[in-house]
């Protein structure tokens, strides 16, 4: 049954029609507002797509000799330097293929440095508001995870952190701004506590879109971080990848960066060097997701320092605007000065028998992509909304109207919500049944 | 909008950031460019890749130059595909989800395995994830990796496992055939898995069925790495040979070499191991009216539910590039794939034939090959490479950096894009140098 014989035999036009039809069943950033929190679903400039397809980039073999690859090597170097400037960190590796791999790489570097100091330590501290990749990455480095609580304002609880930051704590993994959209105001004290205990501070840079040109992790004393090129620097999410998760470090951790390193040799020639005895090693074949990096570089080049800062300002303004306009209709469990996103909850609608999932599904009928609901875990019934800079006031107002209308429906006719979406090709799918007896591939009928 | 917030200045929104860590000067980056300037500036950088245009490249070694039909790029440029995110909301992501289901199906068919995931970052990380999975399944702590597995892939596995307290032994290759050599390493009751690449980094096709028996005799798993998946259209499938996990690099299926990425990692295994798999999985589901659709499933394996106990820290797949591979495979179909694979093999055999009988150059190994050859040269490599470069050819990869004992050897890859004239010219350069 298996083997080539089971595969489709189609004409080109059949293939084109099939996949064109599939595409119409998708919602993308180009379709409309996509306020998926912590995912930074901003507009993906079309020029970046053109640039990545230039033959000199697209058809360059990764093992071509360095003298014939100076263009690609320079792209990597320029992007490393731009990211160092944006984050205030000392050095960068573009090897990691995604944010999660950047985290893993960063934690490996911390462990390698601690081993050199004589003791890798046992624990990694992670705030309870963190994304699930943080604990998974720490575990893969052989660390036990200790959860640090949040205080009543949704920020890291400093007393809890002091208790947890003992001599066996290797690092704190901190997302800043955090997943509640709040800037960790006590960042200097947080860093001091961890450093005083001999540990390192890892910053998950997933939410850097709020900070570009505004504040730099390097200036906050962060030791190592990653940045999501597919979030902050506009490269397309592609239905779940490819992304890129460059990792950036302080001078102390630079020797541990993965190989190859892009180094300048005589006459300003660039080379990819594997001569780095303290490096954690290679984390991916070749040079990382080069095609994503080219797009990111084009974005930085197009916007320049002022454009980048204005992007952060607009993203923050938009999030605060939504918090202000919807804050009396939907509960905001942790109110504060929002950065890139705001987390609402379904608390006030639950009494009507509807949940965050129902609200999210109903938003689809209004023409919007739903917000994030799976985290932060500290907010039951979360609706995490990140408008990004890519929505003007008019679009935001339409979103506000939709959310208010949904709230009215919840009170007057909740079944509209619990049965939503109504306007899609298919309704809610039975995910429980799908997981109980998984059908993960097509098979010919016997 | 500031007025709605009761603010006068955008600065007020950032007052929570402590003054010492506020950036008070502009980022030291070049001023923003207009669109034509961006195109010009990046175009100039691309032009410094002097061998990317016009050159005939015979480089392979994990990144293969195959022909990609134009409609692949046209279809993935539909912004409903490329501007969407991971399909968390299935009602508005059926396009992505169904495409992944088709991808999973075709990867199973090609590899002869029961289940395939939605893809991983690339071949190298897929291999590392396979090793982690084998450690979980067997509870053992030792891995045997063939030395003829792609050196980058072996490096990545070493990096991923460096903090897990495991032992990795390398098994050598037979200096005559270029295939994995039976002597010099042992599989025993502590071995979690044997990792074999076929065709291997030296171009050799391995006897997977024999290695499957050897691994299974000791209760170890066989992990098969396929860096050049076009070979699957011609060779007996790894699943048929008894592999427990098949990982690979899907770049050959319509994806440009693009200086090494993004690519798409392939990952397939047996039904019984599905709950130990890393990565996203798409499954069939039905709505309240019995309409068929697709959802992300078995997510209790994953980091957003299981956190530190997850099977992997991986968050997404390589969606758009899995889609490229899916479109490529659907377009070529069984007959097209076999034809491409046959052309690869025949053209490679043609080049091998051109070198036959020469005193100056010849095949280093005697074993079966697919589309890569290790060519040994009597005269120094640099002069050959320079001569090829002068004729606008990249003749292959010098192997000395990876295998010091092969410092007089070149790894050369021939695919369907090469013409007879290209091969004749390459043979001339090799024989003359």
């Amino acid at each position: 049954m298996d083997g080539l014989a089971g595969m489709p035999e189609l004409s080109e036009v059949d293939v084109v029609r099939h996949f064109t039809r599939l595409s119409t069943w998708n919602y993308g950033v180009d379709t409309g507002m996509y306020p998926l929190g912590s995912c930074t679903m901003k507009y993906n400039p079309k020029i970046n797509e053109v640039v990545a397809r230039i033959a000199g980039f697209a058809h360059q073999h990764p093992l071509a000799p360095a003298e014939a690859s100076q263009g690609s090597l320079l792209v990597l170097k320029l992007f490393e330097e731009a990211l160092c400037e944006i984050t205030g960190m000392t050095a960068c590796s573009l090897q990691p293929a995604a944010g999660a791999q950047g985290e893993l790489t960063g934690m490996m570097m911390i462990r390698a440095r601690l081993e050199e100091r004589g003791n890798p330590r046992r624990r990694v501290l992670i705030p309870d508001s963190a994304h699930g990749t943080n604990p998974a990455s720490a575990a893969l480095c052989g660390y036990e995870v200790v959860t640090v609580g949040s205080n009543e304002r949704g920020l890291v609880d400093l007393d809890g952190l002091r208790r947890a930051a003992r001599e066996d704590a290797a690092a704190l993994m901190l997302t800043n701004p955090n997943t509640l959209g709040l800037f960790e105001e006590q960042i200097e004290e947080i860093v001091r506590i961890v450093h005083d205990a001999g540990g390192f501070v890892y910053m998950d840079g997933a939410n850097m879109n709020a900070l570009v040109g505004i504040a730099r992790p390097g200036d906050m004393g962060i030791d190592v971080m990653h940045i999501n090129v597919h979030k902050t620097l506009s490269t397309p999410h592609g239905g779940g990848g490819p992304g890129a998760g460059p990792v950036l470090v302080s001078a102390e951790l630079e020797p541990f960066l993965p190989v190859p390193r892009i180094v300048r040799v005589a006459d300003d020639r660039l080379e990819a060097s594997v001569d780095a005895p303290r490096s954690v090693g290679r984390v991916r074949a070749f040079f990382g997701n080069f095609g994503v990096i080219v797009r990111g570089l084009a974005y930085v080049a197009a916007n320049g320092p002022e454009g980048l800062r204005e992007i952060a300002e607009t993203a923050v303004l938009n999030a605060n605007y939504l918090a202000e306009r919807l804050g009396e209709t939907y509960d905001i469990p942790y109110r504060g000065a929002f950065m890139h996103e705001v987390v609402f909850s379904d608390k006030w609608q639950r009494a009507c028998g509807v949940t965050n999932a129902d609200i999210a599904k109903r938003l689809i009928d209004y023409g919007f992509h739903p917000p994030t609901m799976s985290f932060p875990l500290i907010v039951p019934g979360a609706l995490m909304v990140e408008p990004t800079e890519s929505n003007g006031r008019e679009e935001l107002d339409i979103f506000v109207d939709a959310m208010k209308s949904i709230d009215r429906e919840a009170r007057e006719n909740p079944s509209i919500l619990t049965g939503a979406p109504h306007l899609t090709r298919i309704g809610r799918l039975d995910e429980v049944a799908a997981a109980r007896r998984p059908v993960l591939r097509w098979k010919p009928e016997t | 909008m500031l007025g709605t917030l009761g603010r006068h200045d955008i600065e007020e929104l950032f007052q929570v950031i402590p003054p010492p860590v506020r950036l008070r000067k502009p980022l030291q980056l070049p001023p923003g460019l207009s669109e034509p300037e961006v195109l010009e500036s990046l175009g100039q950088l691309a032009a410094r890749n002097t061998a990317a245009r016009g050159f005939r490249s015979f480089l392979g070694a994990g990144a293969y130059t195959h022909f990609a039909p134009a409609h692949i790029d046209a279809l993935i440029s539909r912004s409903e595909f490329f501007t969407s995110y991971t399909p968390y909301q299935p009602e508005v992501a059926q396009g992505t989800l169904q495409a992944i289901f088709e991808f999973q199906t075709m990867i199973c068919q090609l590899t002869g395995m029961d289940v395939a995931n939605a893809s991983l970052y690339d071949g190298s990380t897929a291999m590392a994830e396979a090793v982690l999975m084998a450690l979980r399944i067997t509870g053992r702590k030792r891995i045997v990796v063939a030395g003829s597995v792609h050196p980058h892939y072996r490096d990545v596995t070493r990096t991923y496992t460096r903090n897990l307290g495991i032992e990795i032994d390398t098994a050598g290759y037979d200096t005559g055939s270029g295939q994995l050599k039976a002597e010099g390493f042992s599989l025993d009751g502590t071995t979690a898995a044997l990792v074999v690449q076929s065709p291997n980094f030296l171009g050799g096709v391995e006897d997977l069925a024999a290695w499957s028996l050897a691994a299974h005799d000791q209760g170890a798993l066989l992990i098969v790495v396929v860096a050049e998946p076009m070979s699957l259209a011609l060779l007996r499938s790894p699943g048929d040979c008894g592999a427990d996990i098949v990982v690979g690099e899907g770049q050959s299926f319509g994806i440009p070499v693009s200086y090494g990425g993004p690519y798409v990692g392939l990952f397939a295994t047996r039904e019984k191991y599905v709950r130990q798999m890393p990565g996203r999985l798409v499954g069939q589901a039905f709505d309240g009216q019995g309409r068929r659709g697709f959802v992300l499933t078995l997510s209790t394996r994953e980091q957003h539910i299981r956190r530190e106990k997850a099977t992997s820290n991986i968050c997404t797949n390589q969606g758009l590039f899995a889609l490229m591979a899916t479109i490529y495979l659907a377009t070529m179909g069984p007959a097209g794939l076999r034809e491409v694979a046959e052309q690869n093999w025949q053209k490679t055999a043609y080049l091998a034939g051109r070198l036959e009988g020469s005193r100056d150059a010849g095949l280093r190994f005697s074993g079966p090959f697919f589309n890569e050859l290790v060519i040994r040269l009597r005269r120094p490599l640099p002069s050959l490479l320079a001569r090829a470069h002068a004729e606008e050819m990249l003749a292959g990869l010098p192997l000395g950096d990876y295998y010091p004992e092969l410092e007089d050897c070149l790894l050369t890859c021939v695919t369907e894009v090469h013409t007879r004239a290209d091969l004749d010219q390459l043979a001339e350069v090799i024989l003359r140098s």
Side-chain angles (χ1 to χ4, degrees), chain B residues 202-226:
Chain B
L202 305 172
V205 176
E206 300 281 4
D207 183 356
L208 295 176
W211 291 114
S212 159
L213 290 177
H216 293 158
D217 262 357
Q218 297 298 331
L221 305 188
L222 177 68
I223 297 173
V224 173
V225 178
V226 185

Side-chain angles (χ1 to χ4, degrees), chain B residues 108-140:
Chain B
C108 287
Q109 290 167 329
L110 278 171
T111 56
M113 302 300 280
D114 302 328
V115 287
N117 74 10
S119 74
L120 296 172
Y121 304 136
D122 74 338
S124 69
T125 51
M127 171 173 151
E129 292 279 3
V131 165
L132 295 176
M133 178 167 144
L135 297 169
R136 281 196 299 276
I137 289 172
T138 60
R140 298 177 179 182

